[in-house]
Amino acid sequence: MSKGKDAQACKGVLDYLNRQNRPYSAIDIFNNLHKEYGKTAVEKACETLSEEGKISKKIYGKQKVFVALQSQFPDVDDTEMKEMDQKVAILSEQVQVKQEEVRKLEGEIKGFNSSISTEEARKLTRELDHENQTLSLKIAKLKEGGNVISPQEKERVYSSRTKYVKEWRKRKRMGNDILGAILEGYPKTKKQLYEEIGVETDEDYNVAIPEI
């Protein structure tokens, strides 16, 4: 490596350590500088700067840690340090709150993206209710001795009923999952949420999913 590149690496490492004023290993510096300089160049720059007394080097076992010279920075009194610690604590708490809000919102978005809309769910529920009532009436008439149907037609009816009941259960479960995700970050009760967005449940109409 040329002297010019050596000097650039030294300047880059020195500026970074002075700006951050935190201890780092050579590999940390290499990564934090986005690998702008080669790994070998950064390691060499750290050693050179340390030997020239421009930065400090501390050895912990097999690891070397480099840090800016503290003598170049103004002294900070205890009061100022305490104020800074308090600010750090407050900001850390705010970051945690924001991260939790982001996590909940991401969960809601994921749920919405993978599910049908509320209006689509209502429409499908109405269709399934109508179909189920029609089939139930037809079955009741047959049990009362009504028109005899062929085994094939009977099988088709029962197969359709099973299909739609399964779909009903599936859609209801999906709807409950969506509403459950929303309720995790919703400040009010489930009843208030349902009223606010206009959700109507099977229970509201005394409707139960039939057994199959």
mmCIF file of all heavy atoms in Angstrom, residues 112-134:
data_model
loop_
_atom_site.group_PDB
_atom_site.id
_atom_site.type_symbol
_atom_site.label_atom_id
_atom_site.label_comp_id
_atom_site.label_asym_id
_atom_site.label_seq_id
_atom_site.Cartn_x
_atom_site.Cartn_y
_atom_site.Cartn_z
ATOM 1 N N PHE A 112 -53.794 -7.600 7.572
ATOM 2 C CA PHE A 112 -54.667 -7.046 6.544
ATOM 3 C C PHE A 112 -54.261 -7.512 5.147
ATOM 4 O O PHE A 112 -55.111 -7.806 4.304
ATOM 5 C CB PHE A 112 -54.659 -5.517 6.598
ATOM 6 C CG PHE A 112 -55.445 -4.958 7.752
ATOM 7 C CD1 PHE A 112 -54.880 -4.020 8.601
ATOM 8 C CD2 PHE A 112 -56.738 -5.383 7.993
ATOM 9 C CE1 PHE A 112 -55.602 -3.510 9.669
ATOM 10 C CE2 PHE A 112 -57.467 -4.877 9.051
ATOM 11 C CZ PHE A 112 -56.903 -3.941 9.890
ATOM 12 N N ASN A 113 -52.963 -7.545 4.900
ATOM 13 C CA ASN A 113 -52.490 -7.922 3.567
ATOM 14 C C ASN A 113 -52.788 -9.371 3.223
ATOM 15 O O ASN A 113 -52.914 -9.727 2.051
ATOM 16 C CB ASN A 113 -50.977 -7.672 3.449
ATOM 17 C CG ASN A 113 -50.656 -6.196 3.390
ATOM 18 O OD1 ASN A 113 -51.498 -5.376 3.037
ATOM 19 N ND2 ASN A 113 -49.423 -5.838 3.725
ATOM 20 N N SER A 114 -52.885 -10.238 4.247
ATOM 21 C CA SER A 114 -53.092 -11.660 3.999
ATOM 22 C C SER A 114 -54.542 -12.081 4.165
ATOM 23 O O SER A 114 -54.857 -13.260 4.100
ATOM 24 C CB SER A 114 -52.213 -12.483 4.956
ATOM 25 O OG SER A 114 -52.569 -12.225 6.308
ATOM 26 N N SER A 115 -55.440 -11.130 4.404
ATOM 27 C CA SER A 115 -56.840 -11.479 4.655
ATOM 28 C C SER A 115 -57.771 -10.663 3.761
ATOM 29 O O SER A 115 -57.373 -9.677 3.149
ATOM 30 C CB SER A 115 -57.185 -11.219 6.129
ATOM 31 O OG SER A 115 -56.289 -11.901 6.989
ATOM 32 N N ILE A 116 -59.023 -11.098 3.719
ATOM 33 C CA ILE A 116 -60.019 -10.373 2.939
ATOM 34 C C ILE A 116 -60.491 -9.163 3.728
ATOM 35 O O ILE A 116 -60.295 -9.076 4.939
ATOM 36 C CB ILE A 116 -61.213 -11.287 2.602
ATOM 37 C CG1 ILE A 116 -61.905 -11.756 3.898
ATOM 38 C CG2 ILE A 116 -60.775 -12.466 1.769
ATOM 39 C CD1 ILE A 116 -63.169 -12.549 3.638
ATOM 40 N N SER A 117 -61.159 -8.232 3.039
ATOM 41 C CA SER A 117 -61.654 -7.033 3.700
ATOM 42 C C SER A 117 -62.895 -7.355 4.527
ATOM 43 O O SER A 117 -63.525 -8.408 4.360
ATOM 44 C CB SER A 117 -61.992 -5.956 2.658
ATOM 45 O OG SER A 117 -63.106 -6.373 1.884
ATOM 46 N N THR A 118 -63.262 -6.429 5.410
ATOM 47 C CA THR A 118 -64.449 -6.622 6.238
ATOM 48 C C THR A 118 -65.700 -6.737 5.382
ATOM 49 O O THR A 118 -66.564 -7.588 5.623
ATOM 50 C CB THR A 118 -64.595 -5.440 7.222
ATOM 51 O OG1 THR A 118 -63.421 -5.355 8.036
ATOM 52 C CG2 THR A 118 -65.806 -5.634 8.115
ATOM 53 N N GLU A 119 -65.818 -5.896 4.376
ATOM 54 C CA GLU A 119 -66.986 -5.926 3.499
ATOM 55 C C GLU A 119 -67.075 -7.248 2.747
ATOM 56 O O GLU A 119 -68.161 -7.828 2.586
ATOM 57 C CB GLU A 119 -66.934 -4.758 2.507
ATOM 58 C CG GLU A 119 -68.183 -4.637 1.641
ATOM 59 C CD GLU A 119 -69.452 -4.476 2.471
ATOM 60 O OE1 GLU A 119 -69.398 -3.822 3.538
ATOM 61 O OE2 GLU A 119 -70.496 -5.024 2.047
ATOM 62 N N GLU A 120 -65.931 -7.760 2.279
ATOM 63 C CA GLU A 120 -65.916 -9.048 1.580
ATOM 64 C C GLU A 120 -66.330 -10.170 2.525
ATOM 65 O O GLU A 120 -67.052 -11.096 2.127
ATOM 66 C CB GLU A 120 -64.520 -9.313 1.015
ATOM 67 C CG GLU A 120 -64.140 -8.432 -0.155
ATOM 68 C CD GLU A 120 -62.705 -8.606 -0.577
ATOM 69 O OE1 GLU A 120 -61.883 -9.004 0.279
ATOM 70 O OE2 GLU A 120 -62.397 -8.337 -1.740
ATOM 71 N N ALA A 121 -65.875 -10.087 3.773
ATOM 72 C CA ALA A 121 -66.229 -11.107 4.755
ATOM 73 C C ALA A 121 -67.725 -11.077 5.050
ATOM 74 O O ALA A 121 -68.373 -12.128 5.175
ATOM 75 C CB ALA A 121 -65.431 -10.895 6.046
ATOM 76 N N ARG A 122 -68.298 -9.867 5.160
ATOM 77 C CA ARG A 122 -69.738 -9.748 5.393
ATOM 78 C C ARG A 122 -70.531 -10.351 4.231
ATOM 79 O O ARG A 122 -71.506 -11.087 4.424
ATOM 80 C CB ARG A 122 -70.112 -8.279 5.552
ATOM 81 C CG ARG A 122 -69.670 -7.649 6.870
ATOM 82 C CD ARG A 122 -70.064 -6.187 6.864
ATOM 83 N NE ARG A 122 -69.612 -5.514 8.075
ATOM 84 C CZ ARG A 122 -69.659 -4.201 8.251
ATOM 85 N NH1 ARG A 122 -70.117 -3.439 7.277
ATOM 86 N NH2 ARG A 122 -69.248 -3.649 9.377
ATOM 87 N N LYS A 123 -70.131 -10.011 3.010
ATOM 88 C CA LYS A 123 -70.829 -10.506 1.831
ATOM 89 C C LYS A 123 -70.776 -12.029 1.769
ATOM 90 O O LYS A 123 -71.802 -12.693 1.511
ATOM 91 C CB LYS A 123 -70.197 -9.908 0.569
ATOM 92 C CG LYS A 123 -70.860 -10.374 -0.721
ATOM 93 C CD LYS A 123 -70.184 -9.740 -1.929
ATOM 94 C CE LYS A 123 -70.820 -10.238 -3.224
ATOM 95 N NZ LYS A 123 -70.136 -9.657 -4.415
ATOM 96 N N LEU A 124 -69.608 -12.588 2.014
ATOM 97 C CA LEU A 124 -69.455 -14.042 1.975
ATOM 98 C C LEU A 124 -70.283 -14.702 3.075
ATOM 99 O O LEU A 124 -70.902 -15.740 2.854
ATOM 100 C CB LEU A 124 -67.978 -14.413 2.131
ATOM 101 C CG LEU A 124 -67.656 -15.909 2.086
ATOM 102 C CD1 LEU A 124 -68.115 -16.511 0.764
ATOM 103 C CD2 LEU A 124 -66.168 -16.145 2.288
ATOM 104 N N THR A 125 -70.326 -14.068 4.248
ATOM 105 C CA THR A 125 -71.112 -14.620 5.355
ATOM 106 C C THR A 125 -72.594 -14.642 5.007
ATOM 107 O O THR A 125 -73.296 -15.627 5.281
ATOM 108 C CB THR A 125 -70.888 -13.790 6.632
ATOM 109 O OG1 THR A 125 -69.506 -13.833 6.993
ATOM 110 C CG2 THR A 125 -71.705 -14.350 7.795
ATOM 111 N N ARG A 126 -73.082 -13.563 4.389
ATOM 112 C CA ARG A 126 -74.489 -13.514 3.989
ATOM 113 C C ARG A 126 -74.796 -14.611 2.960
ATOM 114 O O ARG A 126 -75.837 -15.276 3.022
ATOM 115 C CB ARG A 126 -74.837 -12.127 3.426
ATOM 116 C CG ARG A 126 -74.893 -11.027 4.475
ATOM 117 C CD ARG A 126 -75.543 -9.762 3.912
ATOM 118 N NE ARG A 126 -74.743 -9.174 2.853
ATOM 119 C CZ ARG A 126 -73.822 -8.230 3.056
ATOM 120 N NH1 ARG A 126 -73.590 -7.784 4.281
ATOM 121 N NH2 ARG A 126 -73.148 -7.716 2.037
ATOM 122 N N GLU A 127 -73.877 -14.782 2.015
ATOM 123 C CA GLU A 127 -74.091 -15.806 0.988
ATOM 124 C C GLU A 127 -74.105 -17.198 1.601
ATOM 125 O O GLU A 127 -74.947 -18.042 1.246
ATOM 126 C CB GLU A 127 -72.986 -15.705 -0.068
ATOM 127 C CG GLU A 127 -73.050 -14.437 -0.911
ATOM 128 C CD GLU A 127 -71.857 -14.303 -1.839
ATOM 129 O OE1 GLU A 127 -70.915 -15.117 -1.713
ATOM 130 O OE2 GLU A 127 -71.861 -13.369 -2.669
ATOM 131 N N LEU A 128 -73.179 -17.428 2.515
ATOM 132 C CA LEU A 128 -73.120 -18.742 3.153
ATOM 133 C C LEU A 128 -74.337 -18.981 4.036
ATOM 134 O O LEU A 128 -74.848 -20.103 4.108
ATOM 135 C CB LEU A 128 -71.831 -18.856 3.984
ATOM 136 C CG LEU A 128 -70.526 -18.887 3.187
ATOM 137 C CD1 LEU A 128 -69.326 -18.863 4.133
ATOM 138 C CD2 LEU A 128 -70.466 -20.128 2.311
ATOM 139 N N ASP A 129 -74.804 -17.925 4.728
ATOM 140 C CA ASP A 129 -76.012 -18.047 5.552
ATOM 141 C C ASP A 129 -77.213 -18.444 4.684
ATOM 142 O O ASP A 129 -77.988 -19.343 5.044
ATOM 143 C CB ASP A 129 -76.315 -16.721 6.253
ATOM 144 C CG ASP A 129 -75.393 -16.480 7.437
ATOM 145 O OD1 ASP A 129 -74.753 -17.447 7.888
ATOM 146 O OD2 ASP A 129 -75.318 -15.323 7.896
ATOM 147 N N HIS A 130 -77.347 -17.767 3.552
ATOM 148 C CA HIS A 130 -78.473 -18.047 2.651
ATOM 149 C C HIS A 130 -78.388 -19.472 2.110
ATOM 150 O O HIS A 130 -79.388 -20.210 2.091
ATOM 151 C CB HIS A 130 -78.458 -17.045 1.494
ATOM 152 C CG HIS A 130 -79.538 -17.295 0.491
ATOM 153 N ND1 HIS A 130 -80.870 -17.031 0.747
ATOM 154 C CD2 HIS A 130 -79.488 -17.813 -0.777
ATOM 155 C CE1 HIS A 130 -81.593 -17.363 -0.303
ATOM 156 N NE2 HIS A 130 -80.781 -17.832 -1.244
ATOM 157 N N GLU A 131 -77.213 -19.840 1.684
ATOM 158 C CA GLU A 131 -77.025 -21.187 1.145
ATOM 159 C C GLU A 131 -77.286 -22.240 2.212
ATOM 160 O O GLU A 131 -77.917 -23.274 1.953
ATOM 161 C CB GLU A 131 -75.585 -21.319 0.618
ATOM 162 C CG GLU A 131 -75.280 -22.654 -0.030
ATOM 163 C CD GLU A 131 -75.987 -22.813 -1.366
ATOM 164 O OE1 GLU A 131 -76.407 -21.794 -1.954
ATOM 165 O OE2 GLU A 131 -76.103 -23.967 -1.833
ATOM 166 N N ASN A 132 -76.812 -21.959 3.424
ATOM 167 C CA ASN A 132 -77.007 -22.912 4.514
ATOM 168 C C ASN A 132 -78.485 -23.064 4.857
ATOM 169 O O ASN A 132 -78.982 -24.173 5.090
ATOM 170 C CB ASN A 132 -76.236 -22.445 5.750
ATOM 171 C CG ASN A 132 -76.336 -23.436 6.893
ATOM 172 O OD1 ASN A 132 -75.893 -24.575 6.784
ATOM 173 N ND2 ASN A 132 -76.932 -23.011 7.996
ATOM 174 N N GLN A 133 -79.226 -21.943 4.879
ATOM 175 C CA GLN A 133 -80.652 -21.999 5.172
ATOM 176 C C GLN A 133 -81.405 -22.771 4.094
ATOM 177 O O GLN A 133 -82.310 -23.562 4.389
ATOM 178 C CB GLN A 133 -81.203 -20.578 5.291
ATOM 179 C CG GLN A 133 -80.720 -19.838 6.530
ATOM 180 C CD GLN A 133 -81.134 -18.376 6.537
ATOM 181 O OE1 GLN A 133 -81.873 -17.936 5.663
ATOM 182 N NE2 GLN A 133 -80.639 -17.629 7.518
ATOM 183 N N THR A 134 -81.034 -22.540 2.837
ATOM 184 C CA THR A 134 -81.673 -23.256 1.731
ATOM 185 C C THR A 134 -81.452 -24.757 1.844
ATOM 186 O O THR A 134 -82.388 -25.563 1.690
ATOM 187 C CB THR A 134 -81.125 -22.754 0.385
ATOM 188 O OG1 THR A 134 -81.366 -21.347 0.267
ATOM 189 C CG2 THR A 134 -81.783 -23.479 -0.780
#
